[in-house]
């Protein structure tokens, strides 16, 4: 493929590549190279759309992607400190409106979609590989007194960053394995997905584990109940053999998995803090039910609505950084964060836009079932993973810009014209079946009854002109001829030599 074919994707791929660059010390998630690249991406698409109107959004796409703007702006205007809410307005518009719209405008067809998807998988492999090294060498983030938590280049202050990227890679690989037409692509996707399960496990992120398992199970069910049952049984048997039979999995991993079932009976400190902050976010909503306390207002109003069970912060260390006391600035639940800061109006517009996007993506996946490309399972899987993970996490950190890109891929699948998402097919210039190879102008046809016996007839290839079957310019006896083509170009297109 020429370089010009992929040049328009350069701003989009730059966002993915720059996520492998370690964030600057002290960065809170909005001052990273990937965020700067996302601003360039939005500006590039805006200039391109104004210049030549290359790919304007459809009315449905504009309505769904623009719906969050209403709740975001209303919450900022009604905030007790509108000036303090402006950074939140910019962040929300970047993640949920501008970058997804830019992705929809920039991705042209399923090949572009595949390039971006494999770029995400490549980023996941790079971050996951580094995370596994951190776990094996004891150079990761601190966890239970040991520096073994895999965090990639995101550092101990963003322990969810690598887990999010790796989960995206697993879900994208699962979508390709279930929907790609070629065996090589499916085999490569299965290999990548299998490799990425290791760094996901050693990330010790329970929310990422739950979202990934739930999403892969849904993709299997959507691909067929029989396949889902076979894969489920095989995965269960393999897990029993590896864990119970061979003892694979450290004591830390087993304890972390077991803690999922004890989050209500015997919650640890992190779970207690999370429940307390969830209650604080609900209290903010009850105080300001329509528009919330304002964007970026959760830290300011947290202590006034939280109980004494809330700790002063979380301890972070390792991965090349010293001990830090990390303040609790969000409830670690995107839905409750939107409800507390933007009220019911924000929840209906922001989360309502996500649900509308999911409905459109699922409808298109259902319409193309059986003969659709791998774009559908990948887009639906990424969107479902994100919506499930939002129950345990929220936006924040350097990996947030990748969330915006994922929403853009889901929006492209939901709203792009059908011709850009359909698999490539061979189409004959005159319509009908593909042309016959050159030199094979005649194919055996039905036998023709003649006096003196039965003589095999010859069917002229599509596009041949009657009377050109012989050198004398007349059709041979018993030869079936097709309607005349409008010009000699039709003869050459059909692979028939000119007489």
């Amino acid at each position: 493929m020429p370089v010009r074919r992929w040049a328009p994707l350069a701003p989009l791929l730059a966002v993915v590549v720059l996520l492998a660059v370690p964030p600057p010390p002290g960065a809170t998630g909005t001052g990273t190279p990937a965020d700067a690249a996302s601003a360039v991406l939005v500006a590039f698409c805006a200039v391109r759309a104004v210049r030549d109107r290359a790919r304007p959004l459809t009315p449905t796409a504009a309505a769904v992607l623009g719906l969050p703007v209403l709740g975001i702006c209303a919450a900022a205007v009604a905030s007790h400190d509108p000036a303090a809410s402006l950074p939140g307005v910019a962040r929300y518009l970047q993640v949920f409106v501008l970058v997804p719209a830019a992705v929809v405008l920039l991705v042209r067809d399923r090949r572009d979609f595949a390039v971006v998807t494999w770029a995400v998988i490549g980023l996941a492999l790079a971050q996951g590989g580094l995370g596994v090294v951190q776990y094996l060498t004891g150079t990761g983030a601190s966890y239970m007194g040991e520096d073994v938590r895999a965090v990639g280049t995101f550092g101990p202050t963003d322990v969810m960053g690598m887990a999010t990227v790796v989960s995206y890679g697993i879900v994208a690989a699962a979508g390709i394995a279930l929907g790609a037409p070629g065996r090589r692509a499916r085999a490569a996707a299965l290999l990548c997905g299998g490799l990425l399960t290791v760094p996901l496990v050693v990330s010790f992120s329970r929310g990422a584990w739950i979202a990934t398992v739930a999403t892969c199970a849904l993709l299997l069910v959507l691909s067929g109940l029989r396949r889902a049952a076979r894969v489920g049984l095989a995965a269960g048997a393999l897990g029993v053999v590896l864990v119970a039979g061979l003892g694979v999995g450290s004591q830390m991993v087993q304890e972390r998995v077991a803690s999922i079932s004890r989050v209500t009976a015997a919650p640890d400190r992190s779970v207690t803090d999370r429940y307390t902050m969830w209650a604080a976010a609900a209290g903010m909503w009850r105080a300001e039910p329509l528009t919330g306390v304002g964007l970026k207002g959760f830290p300011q109003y947290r202590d006034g609505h939280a109980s004494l069970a809330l700790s002063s912060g979380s301890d972070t260390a390792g991965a090349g950084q010293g001990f830090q006391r990390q303040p609790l600035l969000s409830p670690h639940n995107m839905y409750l964060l939107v409800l507390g800061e933007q009220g019911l109006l924000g929840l209906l517009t922001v989360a309502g836009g996500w649900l509308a996007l999911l409905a459109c993506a699922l409808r298109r996946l259902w319409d193309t079932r059986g003969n659709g490309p791998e774009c559908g399972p990948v887009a639906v899987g990424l969107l479902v993973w994100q919506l499930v993970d939002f129950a345990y996490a929220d936006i924040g950190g350097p990996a947030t810009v990748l969330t915006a890109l994922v929403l853009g891929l889901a929006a492209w699948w939901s709203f792009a014209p059908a011709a850009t998402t359909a698999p490539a097919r061979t189409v004959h210039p005159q319509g009908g079946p593909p042309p016959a190879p050159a030199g094979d102008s005649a194919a055996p046809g039905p036998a023709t009854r003649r006096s003196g016996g039965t003589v095999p007839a010859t069917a002229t290839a599509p596009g041949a002109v009657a009377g050109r079957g012989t050198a004398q310019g007349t059709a041979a006896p018993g030869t079936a001829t097709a309607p005349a083509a409008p010009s000699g170009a039709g003869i050459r297109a059909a692979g028939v030599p000119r007489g």
Side-chain angles (χ1 to χ4, degrees):
M1 285 291 177
V3 177
R4 291 181 59 187
R5 174 68 177 82
W6 309 117
L9 289 178
L12 185 54
L13 296 178
V15 175
V16 180
V17 173
L18 290 176
L19 279 168
V21 178
T28 59
T30 56
T32 64
D35 282 294
S38 70
V40 174
L41 168 66
V42 173
F44 174 80
C45 289
V47 171
R48 186 181 179 190
V50 171
R51 183 191 63 187
D52 53 13
R53 298 181 179 271
R55 284 279 307 277
L57 294 174
T58 63
T60 304
V64 173
L65 293 177
L67 186 61
V69 177
L70 177 61
I72 294 170
C73 294
V77 172
S79 171
H80 297 289
D81 189 357
S85 298
L86 289 180
V89 173
R91 187 62 162 171
Y92 272 81
L93 292 179
Q94 173 204 14
V95 176
F96 299 122
V97 180
L98 297 178
V99 173
V103 173
V104 174
L105 293 173
L106 205 57
V107 175
R108 294 160 295 182
D109 51 34
R110 59 190 295 267
R111 290 187 296 177
D112 287 0
F113 188 99
V115 169
V116 178
T117 301
W118 280 107
V120 172
I121 295 175
L123 174 66
L125 289 171
Q127 292 284 0
L130 178 58
V132 172
V133 172
Q134 292 171 338
Y135 172 78
L136 295 176
T137 59
T139 56
S142 177
Y143 176 74
M144 296 181 65
E146 298 183 38
D147 295 342
V148 294
R149 189 167 193 173
V151 292
T153 62
F154 296 101
T157 58
D158 185 20
V159 293
M160 280 295 297
M162 191 215 71
T164 299
V165 173
V166 168
S167 299
Y168 285 154
I170 292 176
V171 172
I176 294 174
L178 294 173
R183 291 185 177 180
R184 291 184 178 180
R186 292 198 300 268
L190 285 174
L191 177 61
C192 293
L195 293 175
L196 289 173
T197 57
V198 179
L200 179 63
V201 169
V202 297
S203 70
F204 298 101
S205 173
R206 291 172 292 197
W209 293 351
I210 295 172
T212 302
V213 172
T215 302
C216 291
L218 175 63
L219 290 179
L220 282 172
V221 171
L222 291 176
S223 67
L225 294 178
R226 291 184 179 180
R227 173 187 284 182
R230 290 196 302 266
V231 174
L233 291 175
L238 181 62
V240 171
V241 171
L242 291 179
V243 177
L246 302 180
V248 176
S250 67
Q251 186 67 26
M252 290 183 179
V253 174
Q254 296 176 12
E255 284 290 332
R256 192 67 166 174
V257 173
S259 68
I260 296 177
S261 61
R262 300 195 305 262
V263 292
T264 55
D268 54 28
R269 169 53 59 184
S270 64
V271 174
T272 301
D273 286 341
R274 185 165 303 188
Y275 287 164
T276 306
M277 291 189 293
W278 287 3
M284 296 177 196
W285 168 67
R286 285 191 292 267
E288 299 286 346
L290 184 59
T291 58
V293 298
L295 297 170
K296 296 290 184 179
F298 182 85
Q300 180 181 355
Y301 293 91
R302 178 197 60 200
D303 294 339
H305 296 275
S307 67
L308 295 178
L310 182 65
S311 64
S312 59
S314 60
D315 300 336
T316 62
Q321 298 186 21
F323 176 82
Q324 299 181 46
R325 190 70 173 171
Q326 193 75 11
L328 304 175
L329 303 178
S330 68
H332 295 284
N333 183 303
M334 192 65 205
Y335 304 105
L336 289 176
L337 178 63
V338 172
L339 184 64
E341 292 188 343
Q342 303 179 42
L344 188 59
L345 178 61
L347 186 66
L348 291 177
T349 55
V350 178
W354 303 337
L355 293 179
L357 184 60
L358 178 62
C360 294
L362 288 173
R363 183 188 63 184
R364 187 158 201 177
L365 183 64
W366 178 261
D367 292 341
T368 60
R369 63 191 185 279
N371 59 355
E374 67 275 14
C375 309
V378 171
V380 170
L382 291 174
L383 181 57
V384 168
W385 186 95
Q386 191 60 67
L387 296 183
V388 173
D389 186 69
F390 273 163
Y392 307 95
D394 48 52
I395 60 173
T400 299
V401 68
L402 192 60
T403 299
L405 188 147
V406 163
L407 294 175
L409 291 178
W412 178 85
W413 164 254
S414 302
F415 306 123
T420 61
T421 60
R425 296 179 180 178
T426 305
V427 180
H428 184 252
Q430 302 289 333
D440 296 337
S441 57
T448 303
R449 178 72 59 182
R450 294 184 57 191
S451 58
T454 301
V455 180
T458 303
T460 307
V465 179
R468 297 230 175 155
T470 62
Q472 287 80 10
T474 59
T479 301
T481 59
S487 64
I491 303 172
R492 291 192 297 274
V496 182
R498 300 182 65 174

